[in-house]
Amino acid sequence: MKPMQKIFNLTAVTAAATVYLASSVEALAQGRNCAPREAIVDRLANGFGETRQSIGLGSNNSVVEVFASEETGSWSITVTSPNGLTCLVAAGQAFETIAEALPAKGNDA
């Protein structure tokens, strides 16, 4: 897979997770991929070797986190509600850390 395609794929997954956040955390909790935050983080660390790579504030004061393993390339995106319930909203392979400079103003690149 080409580097630009990997960037596009990760961007698409992040966008999808953001759209997923638009629904309420209660709706997420109805799925089977929710548990107390400590249990989810422990499973990602011990089961997949993933550590937190980034964090941000989502809708309804939910915390959005990206976990990944630089060793295996696996990644997971979680959403934690203010009450501490964490839901796994996306997961995949081929994670890469990328630090890119912003394009110059007026450049569509």
Side-chain angles (χ1 to χ4, degrees):
M1 187 179 298
K2 295 180 181 179
M4 286 305 290
Q5 186 177 9
K6 288 180 184 179
I7 293 168
F8 177 76
N9 288 346
L10 187 54
T11 301
V13 168
T14 303
T18 303
V19 169
Y20 203 67
L21 287 174
S23 30
S24 68
V25 174
E26 291 79 25
L28 288 172
Q30 292 175 4
R32 297 180 295 169
N33 294 325
C34 299
R37 185 178 183 283
E38 299 78 29
I40 297 286
V41 171
D42 183 59
R43 177 74 173 127
L44 294 175
N46 294 323
F48 301 95
E50 295 180 6
T51 58
R52 185 169 58 190
Q53 304 294 312
S54 62
I55 187 171
L57 192 59
S59 62
N60 300 326
N61 291 323
S62 297
V63 175
V64 180
E65 297 171 285
V66 176
F67 293 83
S69 169
E70 292 185 13
E71 191 172 306
T72 66
S74 70
W75 57 265
S76 303
I77 299 175
T78 64
V79 177
T80 303
S81 67
N83 68 7
L85 185 66
T86 298
C87 297
L88 180 65
V89 296
Q93 297 295 319
F95 179 83
E96 291 184 29
T97 301
I98 299 172
E100 294 181 334
L102 292 174
K105 275 193 164 186
N107 185 349
D108 292 353

